Amino acid sequence: MDLRIFTEPQQGATYDTLLAVAKATEDLGFDAFFRSDHYLRMGTVDGLPGPTDAWITLAGLARETKRIRLGTLMTAGTFRLPGVLAIQVAQVDQMSGGRVELGLGAGWFEEEHKAYGIPFPKEKFARLEEQLEIVTGLWATDPGKTFDFHGTYYDLTESPALPKPVQRKIPVLVGGHGPSRTPRLAAKYADEFNMPFASVEDSERQFGRVRAAAEEAGRDGHELTYSNALVVCVGRDDAEVARRAAAIGREVDELKLNGLAGSPSEVVDKIGRYAEAGSSRIYLQVLDLDDLDHLELISAQVQSQLS
């Protein structure tokens, strides 16, 4: 089971804070540092000092880390033109020496689009499918050849399809709860399918849909990586769990029901249930980015048991 650190910087974080978390992620032996792609805080937090851009952040971290994978859960398709996104991600892959992964989603948070003047189209899912075809098509085009695409929403003519990433194929993540269109999209374009904030039972059901869609598309359904994203809140005792829950404005019982919360042994047991459902990778949503002791505890007493 791979454990990855997943952050939500729109809730309030500077680049220096994210750098400290990324370096701790690397030093403590976690597999990757991922971040959300949002420009507006959610809930009652103030979000200060304000948003940071996902791919600018990852470009900086690419030069400041050596081992960990870097990526997004999920880049919002509404934020970037697909041709430009392909350039950005390929460049960050070069800057990292080939450690980038792209999670790409349709975009859903209408308020942040209104706040920053970003168009919020109705037909987001159909656009996402074209975006995935364009981004992966640009990267896959042989050097010296050009890429053309003429769709409903995007039109590319004789693109040089440059620059190229370092990796032969940048891993692409698709995720979500949708019962039909999402599995079909994952089957066609994804290297990894991510089930965010879902129960063991719902995850197992959705993983099965994705495997079936892959088989129908002519792929081996077992060649995809299946993963979950879950909030994490671990403590050495009940008091420490309660303190960490309070710091992120959550209740312990709710966190135990909907996330990975409790003692290290409780969390290891629950991760085991997700593994039995088919998950081989967990993105630990860390909401208190100043609590690096939390990461140390997870590394020492959770990750060590899983490896």
Side-chain angles (χ1 to χ4, degrees), residues 82-120:
V84 175
L85 180 61
I87 293 170
Q88 292 171 323
V89 178
Q91 184 177 7
V92 178
D93 195 55
Q94 293 175 356
M95 294 168 72
S96 71
R99 294 184 284 122
V100 159
E101 303 184 12
L102 172 63
L104 186 58
W108 61 270
F109 190 20
E110 186 172 6
E111 286 80 2
E112 69 187 334
H113 294 74
K114 292 178 179 177
Y116 286 96
I118 303 167
F120 191 68

Side-chain angles (χ1 to χ4, degrees), residues 115-145:
Y116 286 96
I118 303 167
F120 191 68
K122 291 182 179 179
E123 61 291 334
K124 293 181 291 297
F125 198 91
R127 287 176 180 269
L128 173 61
E129 184 159 14
E130 290 194 7
Q131 291 163 348
L132 284 164
E133 185 169 350
I134 291 166
V135 170
T136 57
L138 286 167
W139 292 335
T141 300
D142 291 333
K145 296 185 178 180

Side-chain angles (χ1 to χ4, degrees), residues 226-245:
Y226 296 89
S227 64
N228 288 91
L230 294 160
V231 64
V232 66
C233 181
V234 186
R236 295 171 182 84
D237 52 37
D238 291 345
E240 192 168 69
V241 175
R243 175 177 62 78
R244 289 199 161 109

